[in-house]
Amino acid sequence: MTVTALGLPTVSGAATRPAAPAPVTGPLVDTYGRVATDLRVSLTDKCNLRCTYCMPAEGLDWLPGEMLLSTAELSRLLHIAVTRLGITSVRFTGGEPLVTRHLEDVVAATATLQPRPEITLTTNGVGLARRAAGLKQAGLDRINVSLDTVDAAHFARITRRDRLTDVLEGLAAAKAAGLHPVKVNAVLDPVSGLDDAVELLRYCLDHGYQLRIIEQMPLDAGHNWRRGEVIDAEAILGRLRRHFDLQPDPRPRGSAPAELWQVAGTDAHPAGTVGVIASVSHAFCSACDRTRLTADGQIRSCLFSTEESDLRALLRSDADDDAIEAAWRTAMWAKPAGHGINDPDFVQPVRPMSAIGG
Ligand code: SAM
Ligand code: SF4
C-alpha cells in the first residue's frame, strides 16, 4: 500500500473488500446494488476564495503540478467512464474549476464523447461573467454557482474575499448564456445563515435562479465542524416558511439529493422552487449514484471515503484500458453503505472538500 500526497492510503481495491469480485462488464455497480452514472471530476484543488467551512485563511499546500492529471490523461479516463462504465453525467468541480485555463477544452472534449454525457459545472462564480458564453459554446449544459449570501459584508466574512459583485455578475452571465436552469448552492453560516437564506431566496426568485441550501458537512480543512453548530434542514425550512408559502414539489426525487419545495408567487416575488439538501440530518446515501475523480487521479466512491484507488499510477504505468476499467469497478464495488457522519466512530476524511471536489 502506498500513501498519497495528502496522507491517504492508496489501494487498488478498497478497505472492506467484498467477498465477490466486482462485475467485469455492465453498469458501475456496488455491493448494495447502487449504480453510479454521475461522475464528479475535480480539475484542481486550488481556489481563489477561502470559505470558512472549506479552507483555512492561509489556503492549503496545493498539489504539485506533476501529481495532477494532464489533459490527455483526464480525457482518457473520461472516455473510459463514458464508453465502458455507463457514466451519463459529468460534473466539473474543484477547488475552483474556473482557475484552470483548460476548462473550456476539457468541456469541449467531453462533449465529443458518445453517448454524449450531460456536462455540468460547480463554481464559485468568480470570473464566470467573462467565460459563461464560451463555456456554453464549448458544450456546457448547466451550472451550479455557490453563493451563501447576497449581503456583501457577510459574503466577505464567509469567503474571506470581497467578491460578491463578481459572483452576481457571473450568475447573470450564466443566465444570459442559456445555461438553464442556473442553480445556486448555499451553505449557511452558523451566525447569519438563517437571515441570509431568506434574502438569498428572494434574490433567486427575482432572478429566476434555483436555490439549493446544503447542510454543512464535516469536510473542512481545519476539522472545526461541530454537529451542534450546523443549521439543519428543519431550521432552514422553519425560517423560510415564516416568509414564503412552501409546498412539497410533487415530482419524483429519484437520486437527486435536494428535497424540492414549490414557492408560491406573491406581489413581492415570482413563484419558483427551493431545494434543501439534508446531507447530515437525512442522509440520502441509499440513492447515491456518484463516483468521484480527484485532480490527482484518485477514485473515491464517496465524499467521505477514507481510501482511494490510484488511477494516475495505472495511467503512468502503461496500464491498458481494461486494467483501468477494472480498478475503477473494484473501487466502486466496495462503496460503503453510507457516509457514517452520525456514527459514534465517524472519522472525517483527510482530504478536505476542496481537494475532493464537491
Ligand atoms: N469552488 C467551487 C464552488 O465553491 O462551487 C467548487 C468546489 S466546492 C468544494 C463545491 C461545493 O461544495 C460548493 O457548493 C460548496 O459550498 C460546497 N462545500 C464546501 N465545503 C462544504 C462543507 N463543509 N459542507 C457542505 N458543502 C460544502
Ligand atoms: Fe473555494 Fe469552493 Fe471551497 Fe469556497 S467552497 S473555498 S469557493 S473550493
Side-chain angles (χ1 to χ4, degrees):
M1 187 181 288
T2 54
V3 172
T4 68
L6 291 156
L8 275 161
T10 308
V11 291
S12 55
T16 335
R17 203 168 280 280
V24 292
T25 58
L28 193 50
V29 66
D30 67 41
T31 55
Y32 297 93
R34 293 167 297 189
V35 175
T37 54
D38 180 358
L39 170 60
R40 306 278 154 139
V41 179
S42 175
L43 293 176
T44 176
D45 58 330
K46 289 188 185 143
C47 189
N48 41 15
L49 299 185
R50 296 286 182 271
C51 305
T52 46
Y53 47 79
C54 183
M55 276 212 198
E58 64 280 13
L60 293 164
D61 290 335
W62 312 128
L63 289 163
E66 68 274 12
M67 291 186 61
L68 300 179
L69 294 181
S70 67
T71 307
E73 288 171 334
L74 176 58
S75 295
R76 186 170 164 207
L77 292 182
L78 286 167
H79 187 262
I80 291 170
V82 169
T83 61
R84 292 173 170 238
L85 297 171
I87 292 300
T88 56
S89 167
V90 177
R91 176 173 294 276
F92 294 106
T93 178
E96 175 44 48
L98 287 178
V99 306
T100 57
R101 291 209 185 87
H102 66 309
L103 176 61
E104 287 79 355
D105 297 337
V106 173
V107 169
T110 309
T112 65
L113 293 171
Q114 289 298 329
R116 185 197 188 284
E118 181 187 49
I119 307 171
T120 57
L121 178 71
T122 299
T123 170
N124 64 28
V126 174
L128 179 61
R130 61 177 182 280
R131 289 173 74 180
L135 283 164
K136 171 76 180 171
Q137 207 174 10
L140 189 68
D141 296 309
R142 288 191 298 106
I143 196 160
N144 288 40
V145 177
S146 301
L147 175 65
D148 307 331
T149 176
V150 285
D151 179 291
H154 293 182
F155 183 95
R157 175 166 51 79
I158 295 167
T159 67
R160 302 189 181 102
R161 298 288 186 273
D162 185 15
R163 306 299 291 270
L164 176 64
T165 308
D166 297 63
V167 181
L168 298 183
E169 287 173 2
L171 277 165
K175 183 175 161 186
L179 290 165
H180 181 79
V182 174
K183 292 187 181 173
V184 169
N185 289 2
V187 174
L188 298 184
D189 178 76
V191 179
S192 59
L194 289 175
D195 295 333
D196 289 336
V198 173
E199 293 310 316
L200 200 49
L201 181 51
R202 283 202 181 106
Y203 188 89
C204 289
L205 292 169
D206 286 348
H207 291 81
Y209 310 144
Q210 289 185 9
L211 176 63
R212 295 144 32 104
I213 305 175
I214 308 164
E215 285 178 351
Q216 189 182 326
M217 296 180 280
L219 288 167
D220 58 309
H223 291 225
N224 293 320
W225 182 90
R226 298 288 173 270
R227 177 179 312 278
E229 292 172 13
V230 173
I231 299 183
D232 65 13
E234 198 183 334
I236 295 163
L237 288 168
R239 177 60 70 93
L240 293 181
R241 281 201 181 95
R242 284 199 223 160
H243 302 268
F244 305 92
D245 175 4
L246 302 186
Q247 299 298 331
D249 188 292
R251 285 169 291 185
R253 187 168 163 188
S255 60
E259 189 176 11
L260 277 187
W261 299 84
Q262 292 183 341
V263 189
T266 66
D267 291 344
H269 59 76
T273 59
V274 61
V276 179
I277 304 184
S279 2
V280 177
S281 62
H282 292 92
F284 39 85
C285 303
S286 61
C288 182
D289 63 353
R290 294 176 185 176
T291 179
R292 295 172 185 279
L293 175 64
T294 66
D296 56 338
Q298 311 296 311
I299 291 296
R300 299 174 64 88
S301 62
C302 171
L303 262 181
F304 292 88
S305 296
T306 51
E307 294 194 331
E308 303 181 335
S309 297
D310 189 357
L311 297 193
R312 188 192 65 223
L314 286 176
L315 285 166
R316 294 182 185 178
S317 65
D318 295 330
D320 63 13
D321 287 1
D322 288 348
I324 293 171
E325 174 186 351
W328 203 325
R329 286 185 182 282
T330 303
M332 292 308 295
W333 185 235
K335 181 175 171 112
H339 56 44
I341 297 175
N342 300 310
D343 298 345
D345 55 353
F346 170 73
V347 178
Q348 180 169 341
V350 175
R351 252 185 217 265
M353 184 66 129
S354 58
I356 297 172

mmCIF file of all heavy atoms in Angstrom, residues 25 36 41 101 167 179 197 209 221 224 231 257 261-262 264-265 294-295 300 314-315 347 352-353:
data_model
loop_
_atom_site.group_PDB
_atom_site.id
_atom_site.type_symbol
_atom_site.label_atom_id
_atom_site.label_comp_id
_atom_site.label_asym_id
_atom_site.label_seq_id
_atom_site.Cartn_x
_atom_site.Cartn_y
_atom_site.Cartn_z
ATOM 1 N N THR A 25 -18.279 -6.303 -16.516
ATOM 2 C CA THR A 25 -18.983 -5.516 -17.536
ATOM 3 C C THR A 25 -20.252 -4.948 -16.906
ATOM 4 O O THR A 25 -20.522 -5.177 -15.737
ATOM 5 C CB THR A 25 -19.411 -6.374 -18.749
ATOM 6 O OG1 THR A 25 -20.242 -7.431 -18.255
ATOM 7 C CG2 THR A 25 -18.233 -6.922 -19.489
ATOM 8 N N ALA A 36 -23.609 3.785 -10.278
ATOM 9 C CA ALA A 36 -23.031 5.129 -10.432
ATOM 10 C C ALA A 36 -23.091 5.537 -11.896
ATOM 11 O O ALA A 36 -22.511 4.863 -12.758
ATOM 12 C CB ALA A 36 -21.594 5.138 -9.924
ATOM 13 N N VAL A 41 -15.772 15.314 -11.384
ATOM 14 C CA VAL A 41 -14.354 15.440 -11.715
ATOM 15 C C VAL A 41 -13.807 16.719 -11.106
ATOM 16 O O VAL A 41 -14.232 17.819 -11.464
ATOM 17 C CB VAL A 41 -14.152 15.500 -13.246
ATOM 18 C CG1 VAL A 41 -12.669 15.657 -13.576
ATOM 19 C CG2 VAL A 41 -14.725 14.263 -13.914
ATOM 20 N N ARG A 101 -7.158 26.991 -16.757
ATOM 21 C CA ARG A 101 -7.329 27.652 -18.058
ATOM 22 C C ARG A 101 -7.889 26.712 -19.104
ATOM 23 O O ARG A 101 -8.491 27.135 -20.077
ATOM 24 C CB ARG A 101 -5.980 28.196 -18.537
ATOM 25 C CG ARG A 101 -5.519 29.355 -17.683
ATOM 26 C CD ARG A 101 -4.652 30.324 -18.476
ATOM 27 N NE ARG A 101 -4.140 31.353 -17.579
ATOM 28 C CZ ARG A 101 -3.027 31.220 -16.879
ATOM 29 N NH1 ARG A 101 -2.307 30.133 -16.996
ATOM 30 N NH2 ARG A 101 -2.625 32.177 -16.070
ATOM 31 N N VAL A 167 -19.546 37.484 -8.377
ATOM 32 C CA VAL A 167 -20.381 36.281 -8.409
ATOM 33 C C VAL A 167 -21.763 36.615 -8.974
ATOM 34 O O VAL A 167 -22.292 35.872 -9.821
ATOM 35 C CB VAL A 167 -20.498 35.668 -6.993
ATOM 36 C CG1 VAL A 167 -21.355 34.406 -7.025
ATOM 37 C CG2 VAL A 167 -19.116 35.359 -6.434
ATOM 38 N N LEU A 179 -27.457 28.901 -19.873
ATOM 39 C CA LEU A 179 -27.113 27.742 -19.034
ATOM 40 C C LEU A 179 -28.280 27.492 -18.079
ATOM 41 O O LEU A 179 -28.196 27.759 -16.887
ATOM 42 C CB LEU A 179 -25.804 28.002 -18.287
ATOM 43 C CG LEU A 179 -24.571 28.026 -19.181
ATOM 44 C CD1 LEU A 179 -23.383 28.628 -18.464
ATOM 45 C CD2 LEU A 179 -24.250 26.605 -19.666
ATOM 46 N N ALA A 197 -30.490 33.101 4.238
ATOM 47 C CA ALA A 197 -31.295 32.198 3.404
ATOM 48 C C ALA A 197 -32.543 32.907 2.878
ATOM 49 O O ALA A 197 -32.931 32.732 1.713
ATOM 50 C CB ALA A 197 -31.682 30.962 4.213
ATOM 51 N N TYR A 209 -33.277 32.035 -10.590
ATOM 52 C CA TYR A 209 -32.289 31.012 -10.253
ATOM 53 C C TYR A 209 -32.926 30.019 -9.283
ATOM 54 O O TYR A 209 -33.795 30.376 -8.498
ATOM 55 C CB TYR A 209 -31.042 31.610 -9.585
ATOM 56 C CG TYR A 209 -30.417 32.778 -10.311
ATOM 57 C CD1 TYR A 209 -29.849 33.844 -9.610
ATOM 58 C CD2 TYR A 209 -30.389 32.829 -11.707
ATOM 59 C CE1 TYR A 209 -29.272 34.914 -10.262
ATOM 60 C CE2 TYR A 209 -29.814 33.910 -12.370
ATOM 61 C CZ TYR A 209 -29.266 34.953 -11.648
ATOM 62 O OH TYR A 209 -28.701 36.023 -12.289
ATOM 63 N N ALA A 221 -11.103 21.841 5.983
ATOM 64 C CA ALA A 221 -9.688 21.504 6.153
ATOM 65 C C ALA A 221 -9.264 21.591 7.616
ATOM 66 O O ALA A 221 -8.389 20.860 8.064
ATOM 67 C CB ALA A 221 -8.834 22.440 5.304
ATOM 68 N N ASN A 224 -12.992 21.735 11.964
ATOM 69 C CA ASN A 224 -13.670 22.521 13.003
ATOM 70 C C ASN A 224 -15.180 22.296 13.013
ATOM 71 O O ASN A 224 -15.888 22.942 13.778
ATOM 72 C CB ASN A 224 -13.415 24.024 12.762
ATOM 73 C CG ASN A 224 -11.960 24.372 12.986
ATOM 74 O OD1 ASN A 224 -11.340 23.864 13.926
ATOM 75 N ND2 ASN A 224 -11.390 25.202 12.118
ATOM 76 N N ILE A 231 -26.637 24.374 10.777
ATOM 77 C CA ILE A 231 -28.034 24.759 10.575
ATOM 78 C C ILE A 231 -28.675 23.649 9.754
ATOM 79 O O ILE A 231 -28.270 23.413 8.608
ATOM 80 C CB ILE A 231 -28.135 26.116 9.852
ATOM 81 C CG1 ILE A 231 -27.467 27.193 10.714
ATOM 82 C CG2 ILE A 231 -29.575 26.452 9.560
ATOM 83 C CD1 ILE A 231 -27.555 28.581 10.137
ATOM 84 N N PRO A 257 -30.292 14.728 -4.560
ATOM 85 C CA PRO A 257 -30.146 14.903 -3.124
ATOM 86 C C PRO A 257 -31.071 15.958 -2.533
ATOM 87 O O PRO A 257 -31.371 15.930 -1.349
ATOM 88 C CB PRO A 257 -28.683 15.324 -2.959
ATOM 89 C CG PRO A 257 -28.282 15.881 -4.277
ATOM 90 C CD PRO A 257 -29.107 15.177 -5.306
ATOM 91 N N TRP A 261 -39.063 22.154 -2.899
ATOM 92 C CA TRP A 261 -40.290 22.808 -2.438
ATOM 93 C C TRP A 261 -40.697 23.846 -3.471
ATOM 94 O O TRP A 261 -39.839 24.555 -4.015
ATOM 95 C CB TRP A 261 -40.056 23.498 -1.085
ATOM 96 C CG TRP A 261 -39.659 22.520 -0.029
ATOM 97 C CD1 TRP A 261 -38.404 22.043 0.213
ATOM 98 C CD2 TRP A 261 -40.524 21.847 0.883
ATOM 99 N NE1 TRP A 261 -38.423 21.129 1.236
ATOM 100 C CE2 TRP A 261 -39.716 20.988 1.671
ATOM 101 C CE3 TRP A 261 -41.901 21.893 1.137
ATOM 102 C CZ2 TRP A 261 -40.241 20.175 2.675
ATOM 103 C CZ3 TRP A 261 -42.420 21.089 2.144
ATOM 104 C CH2 TRP A 261 -41.595 20.246 2.898
ATOM 105 N N GLN A 262 -42.001 23.918 -3.711
ATOM 106 C CA GLN A 262 -42.502 24.962 -4.604
ATOM 107 C C GLN A 262 -42.803 26.193 -3.767
ATOM 108 O O GLN A 262 -43.427 26.099 -2.705
ATOM 109 C CB GLN A 262 -43.780 24.494 -5.300
ATOM 110 C CG GLN A 262 -43.501 23.364 -6.271
ATOM 111 C CD GLN A 262 -44.739 22.922 -7.031
ATOM 112 O OE1 GLN A 262 -45.862 23.195 -6.614
ATOM 113 N NE2 GLN A 262 -44.526 22.220 -8.124
ATOM 114 N N ALA A 264 -44.733 29.659 -3.584
ATOM 115 C CA ALA A 264 -45.831 30.379 -4.240
ATOM 116 C C ALA A 264 -45.414 31.810 -4.560
ATOM 117 O O ALA A 264 -44.680 32.438 -3.788
ATOM 118 C CB ALA A 264 -47.058 30.377 -3.316
ATOM 119 N N GLY A 265 -45.879 32.318 -5.685
ATOM 120 C CA GLY A 265 -45.592 33.701 -6.046
ATOM 121 C C GLY A 265 -46.463 34.663 -5.235
ATOM 122 O O GLY A 265 -47.537 34.297 -4.761
ATOM 123 N N THR A 294 -10.496 12.657 -8.365
ATOM 124 C CA THR A 294 -9.811 13.843 -7.864
ATOM 125 C C THR A 294 -8.846 14.377 -8.928
ATOM 126 O O THR A 294 -8.505 13.679 -9.894
ATOM 127 C CB THR A 294 -9.017 13.529 -6.581
ATOM 128 O OG1 THR A 294 -7.961 12.628 -6.918
ATOM 129 C CG2 THR A 294 -9.909 12.917 -5.507
ATOM 130 N N ALA A 295 -8.373 15.600 -8.706
ATOM 131 C CA ALA A 295 -7.480 16.224 -9.682
ATOM 132 C C ALA A 295 -6.173 15.452 -9.823
ATOM 133 O O ALA A 295 -5.502 15.541 -10.848
ATOM 134 C CB ALA A 295 -7.201 17.672 -9.265
ATOM 135 N N ARG A 300 -12.677 8.041 -5.722
ATOM 136 C CA ARG A 300 -13.321 7.935 -4.411
ATOM 137 C C ARG A 300 -14.756 7.491 -4.656
ATOM 138 O O ARG A 300 -15.464 8.070 -5.478
ATOM 139 C CB ARG A 300 -13.317 9.286 -3.693
ATOM 140 C CG ARG A 300 -11.919 9.826 -3.420
ATOM 141 C CD ARG A 300 -11.991 11.217 -2.835
ATOM 142 N NE ARG A 300 -12.633 11.241 -1.537
ATOM 143 C CZ ARG A 300 -12.000 11.065 -0.379
ATOM 144 N NH1 ARG A 300 -10.711 10.892 -0.357
ATOM 145 N NH2 ARG A 300 -12.664 11.095 0.757
ATOM 146 N N LEU A 314 -1.813 3.925 -12.494
ATOM 147 C CA LEU A 314 -2.075 2.986 -13.591
ATOM 148 C C LEU A 314 -1.826 3.655 -14.934
ATOM 149 O O LEU A 314 -1.193 3.078 -15.819
ATOM 150 C CB LEU A 314 -3.523 2.482 -13.524
ATOM 151 C CG LEU A 314 -3.840 1.461 -12.428
ATOM 152 C CD1 LEU A 314 -5.325 1.141 -12.426
ATOM 153 C CD2 LEU A 314 -3.021 0.192 -12.643
ATOM 154 N N LEU A 315 -2.339 4.895 -15.075
ATOM 155 C CA LEU A 315 -2.153 5.626 -16.340
ATOM 156 C C LEU A 315 -0.667 5.758 -16.671
ATOM 157 O O LEU A 315 -0.259 5.642 -17.822
ATOM 158 C CB LEU A 315 -2.730 7.037 -16.223
ATOM 159 C CG LEU A 315 -4.247 7.195 -16.271
ATOM 160 C CD1 LEU A 315 -4.634 8.595 -15.785
ATOM 161 C CD2 LEU A 315 -4.782 6.963 -17.668
ATOM 162 N N VAL A 347 -15.005 8.998 11.224
ATOM 163 C CA VAL A 347 -13.699 9.640 11.069
ATOM 164 C C VAL A 347 -13.774 10.554 9.844
ATOM 165 O O VAL A 347 -14.098 10.103 8.744
ATOM 166 C CB VAL A 347 -12.579 8.587 10.855
ATOM 167 C CG1 VAL A 347 -11.233 9.284 10.654
ATOM 168 C CG2 VAL A 347 -12.516 7.632 12.024
ATOM 169 N N PRO A 352 -9.705 17.535 2.448
ATOM 170 C CA PRO A 352 -10.815 18.475 2.621
ATOM 171 C C PRO A 352 -11.656 18.540 1.348
ATOM 172 O O PRO A 352 -11.228 18.085 0.290
ATOM 173 C CB PRO A 352 -10.109 19.811 2.869
ATOM 174 C CG PRO A 352 -8.786 19.667 2.186
ATOM 175 C CD PRO A 352 -8.428 18.194 2.240
ATOM 176 N N MET A 353 -12.838 19.118 1.462
ATOM 177 C CA MET A 353 -13.763 19.224 0.338
ATOM 178 C C MET A 353 -13.081 19.794 -0.907
ATOM 179 O O MET A 353 -13.309 19.326 -2.023
ATOM 180 C CB MET A 353 -14.923 20.116 0.760
ATOM 181 C CG MET A 353 -16.013 20.263 -0.253
ATOM 182 S SD MET A 353 -16.872 18.709 -0.513
ATOM 183 C CE MET A 353 -18.567 19.238 -0.307
#
